[in-house]
Amino acid sequence: LSLFDAHYEALYCDLRRLTPPQETEDLCQQTFLYLCNLQESERKALDEDSLIRIGHSLLQAGTDRFSGFIPR
């Protein structure tokens, strides 16, 4: 399974507790777009908790662009 297939639902459910549905979908897309910019070895090291932390960081940053964004 891809990261998307394996973890989208958990990411969506976690973020949905904090945001309206449309914003939740946007944050999920942004999270997975962020992953596209990582090296393959970095993506392989990620787990579900890592994806959720990235999603939360995007929410806190209030950004829809990744220039200069570094998740914590």
Side-chain angles (χ1 to χ4, degrees):
L1 285 175
S2 70
L3 277 174
F4 182 86
D5 292 330
H7 302 296
Y8 180 84
E9 186 175 347
L11 177 64
Y12 182 90
C13 289
D14 186 82
L15 293 173
R16 180 63 185 96
R17 295 179 302 114
L18 306 169
T19 59
Q22 182 60 47
E23 187 176 346
T24 303
E25 290 176 19
D26 291 345
L27 282 168
C28 288
Q29 285 181 347
Q30 290 173 2
T31 301
F32 284 101
L33 284 173
Y34 178 82
L35 298 181
C36 290
N37 293 317
L38 297 178
Q39 298 292 325
E40 181 68 24
S41 59
E42 294 173 306
R43 281 195 301 268
K44 286 184 178 182
L46 294 175
D47 59 9
E48 192 170 286
D49 290 336
S50 299
L51 295 177
I52 290 171
R53 279 193 302 277
I54 292 169
H56 282 243
S57 293
L58 285 167
L59 176 61
Q60 288 177 341
T63 184
D64 61 355
R65 296 195 175 123
F66 299 114
S67 59
F69 172 75
I70 300 172
R72 296 181 188 123

